[in-house]
Amino acid sequence: MLPEVNTILYASDMGQNMRPAFRFAVSLAIKYHSKIVMIHALEPMGSTSRAMMENYLDADQRRRLQQEGYEYVRQDMKKRLADFFEDERAAIAGESGSPEVDVVVVTGQPAQVIVEEAQKRDAGLIVMGVHTDHSFGHKLMGSTTRKVIHNSSIPVMVVPVSPGG
């Protein structure tokens, strides 16, 4: 018996080569009559930036500036993902319909928030692209993809994405 796949979580790094993995997620969503949740994770501020802010700003200023900054970036990324989906509608228009798509931008360590969001939304499948640069040192899967596979109880489909693809 095949599992129900009512929701597919598509994790995007907003890289240049994300279209093949997204199109694969869309084709699966059409086949299974599923909804797609497009997710992008904003990584937390690094220790150097945090230390610099601590040297020059008081706690209230830091908190306000961080909240405003993350909200600005979150809204910008959400718009970029929504615009990306609209651009892709033309490419998938020939297929039997277009799936419902939710766009989510969350802050946190990418692998952790991808798994958490997939569980929260009761996703039946996580789809991720992985870059396929075959030069020395680049044959291993990306660390975020490896961590998602290792920590997810939900099946993860990895779509190879070549440069320029």
Side-chain angles (χ1 to χ4, degrees):
M1 181 170 166
L2 292 174
E4 291 271 330
V5 181
N6 296 319
T7 301
I8 296 172
L9 187 124
Y10 166 69
S12 169
D13 65 358
M14 291 299 294
Q16 292 179 334
N17 305 315
M18 64 189 249
R19 290 182 193 281
F22 180 70
R23 288 179 181 166
F24 197 86
V26 167
S27 68
L28 288 173
I30 290 169
K31 178 178 176 120
Y32 290 105
H33 307 288
S34 303
K35 171 174 128 176
I36 294 180
V37 175
M38 291 178 73
I39 184 172
H40 179 77
L42 296 175
E43 293 194 49
M45 185 182 304
S47 58
T48 303
S49 299
R50 203 171 32 253
M52 193 163 56
M53 286 180 70
E54 288 172 2
N55 286 335
Y56 295 104
L57 303 170
D58 66 42
D60 288 338
Q61 289 173 318
R62 284 193 311 268
R63 193 173 11 266
R64 183 179 49 79
L65 190 58
Q66 273 187 293
Q67 287 172 342
E68 289 173 0
Y70 275 124
E71 188 54 32
Y72 174 82
V73 173
R74 188 176 293 111
Q75 291 304 319
D76 181 61
M77 291 306 293
K78 199 168 184 176
K79 182 182 181 324
R80 288 176 60 193
L81 283 168
D83 290 348
F84 170 78
F85 176 67
E86 288 304 316
D87 288 347
E88 283 295 298
R89 272 193 198 275
I92 62 176
E95 300 187 40
S96 56
S98 175
E100 176 186 345
V101 175
D102 284 346
V103 176
V104 179
V105 178
V106 293
T107 303
Q109 295 300 325
Q112 180 182 345
V113 296
I114 288 167
V115 170
E116 288 171 359
E117 197 69 24
Q119 291 169 339
K120 177 177 144 186
R121 293 179 175 265
D122 199 25
L125 180 67
I126 299 170
V127 175
M128 303 177 71
V130 66
H131 300 279
T132 55
D133 181 348
H134 296 293
S135 61
F136 181 77
H138 293 280
K139 291 185 180 186
L140 297 175
M141 200 177 310
S143 63
T144 298
T145 304
R146 279 195 321 267
K147 289 175 186 173
V148 169
I149 291 169
H150 180 74
N151 294 310
S152 179
S153 60
I154 297 166
V156 179
M157 179 165 288
V158 179
V159 179
V161 180
S162 61

